[in-house]
């Protein structure tokens, strides 16, 4: 865990500085509204949380691959619960999206997940020293080892590297409004129990979600927001305590830089996933993502950046991501 107060304000300083770039750099390019990332908290990633839906009806076929490297050290003990999450996960999201018929689109997402001790612990220690951040409990734990442990509302015990496929999801969206200046769409999706409960890549049940997407576009700016509900239809990880409806929301602001580059700041939050839990990592979360988009021709885009737990200890400590997208129509 990391301390609050001065440490939190210091942690926010470099992020705020990067976000401030969005306000001062001129440009004209038009970019997608969201990064295709989500909260990769190892304990709750097995529950369905759909990726953002930021396409337009004119996009045609869309293929994307996004690799997220997440490093977390979270230690917390409560009277009836305890958690130690120390490790690194690499998650590759593969998506395919296309038009279904007039005003409708569909999407499939396949996550591939690898957990290990990783290699980022030393780099994160240097990051903390450079920015004067509190290292929290990191000096007291071995580097590059994996321990995912939880007891209380269920039990988790993972100490070996592992690789597996997560829950495969399918989404469908109806576009009420879609033109050059604005988009309003409504989505629903299901996630099949293709993941593994023992590897925390699935919750052992079908899950569903519904959400609304809205976006406003100007020559240099894009703003977008999503609000939705996620409902697991079962829970084999937390002995049924996570079989409850959760709320998720996203907001993103994108600033274009010329015709090739865009910068983006994105906030992702969700309500608690496990009922009656006092562990912050299982409660409401808030994550801030900062990154950039680089156009590679008319149809290809490269996306990269990092995410921090904006509300301390509610999400992974740090996530780096790199993604590539291809659309059949120029954008």
């Amino acid at each position: 865990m990391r301390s609050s107060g001065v440490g939190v304000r210091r942690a926010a300083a470099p992020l705020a500085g990067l976000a401030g770039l969005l306000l001062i750099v001129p440009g004209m390019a038009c970019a997608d509204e969201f990064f295709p990332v989500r909260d990769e908290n190892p304990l709750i990633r097995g529950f369905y949380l759909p990726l953002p839906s930021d396409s337009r009806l004119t996009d045609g076929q869309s293929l994307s691959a996004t690799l997220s490297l997440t490093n977390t050290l979270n230690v917390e003990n409560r009277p009836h619960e305890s958690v130690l999450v120390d490790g690194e996960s690499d998650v590759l999201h593969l998506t395919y999206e296309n038009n279904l018929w007039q005003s409708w689109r569909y999407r499939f997402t396949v996550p591939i997940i690898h957990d290990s001790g990783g290699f980022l612990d030393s780099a994160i220690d240097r990051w903390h020293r450079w920015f004067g951040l509190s290292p929290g409990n990191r000096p007291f734990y071995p580097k590059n080892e994996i321990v995912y442990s939880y007891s209380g509302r269920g039990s988790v015990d993972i100490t070996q590297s592992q690789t597996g496929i997560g829950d495969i999801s399918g989404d469908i969206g109806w576009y009420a409004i879609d033109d050059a200046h604005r988009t309003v769409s409504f989505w629903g999706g299901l996630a099949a129990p293709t993941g593994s409960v023992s590897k925390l890549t699935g919750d052992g049940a079908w899950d569903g979600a519904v959400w609304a997407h809205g976006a406003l576009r100007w020559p240099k700016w894009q703003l977008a927001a999503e609000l939705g509900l996620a409902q697991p239809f079962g829970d084999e990880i937390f002995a049924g305590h996570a079989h409850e409806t959760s709320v998720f929301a996203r907001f993103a602001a994108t600033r274009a830089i010329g015709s090739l580059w865009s910068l983006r700041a994105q906030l992702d939050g969700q309500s608690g996933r496990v009922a009656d839990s006092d562990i912050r990592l299982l409660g409401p979360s808030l994550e801030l993502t900062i990154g950039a988009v680089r156009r590679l021709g008319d149809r290809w885009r490269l996306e990269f950046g990092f995410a921090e737990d904006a509300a301390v200890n509610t999400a992974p400590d740090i996530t780096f991501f790199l993604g590539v997208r291809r659309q059949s129509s120029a954008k």
Side-chain angles (χ1 to χ4, degrees), residues 155-180:
S155 178
V156 172
D157 185 17
I158 294 174
T159 57
Q160 300 292 328
S161 298
Q162 57 186 18
T163 302
I165 295 178
D167 286 353
I168 298 174
S169 61
D171 311 320
I172 186 170
W174 173 68
Y175 286 71
I177 302 171
D178 186 49
D179 56 40

Side-chain angles (χ1 to χ4, degrees), residues 308-323:
E308 283 262 3
D309 48 342
V312 176
N313 293 332
T314 66
D317 291 341
I318 185 72
T319 298
F320 299 99
F321 69 91
L322 174 66

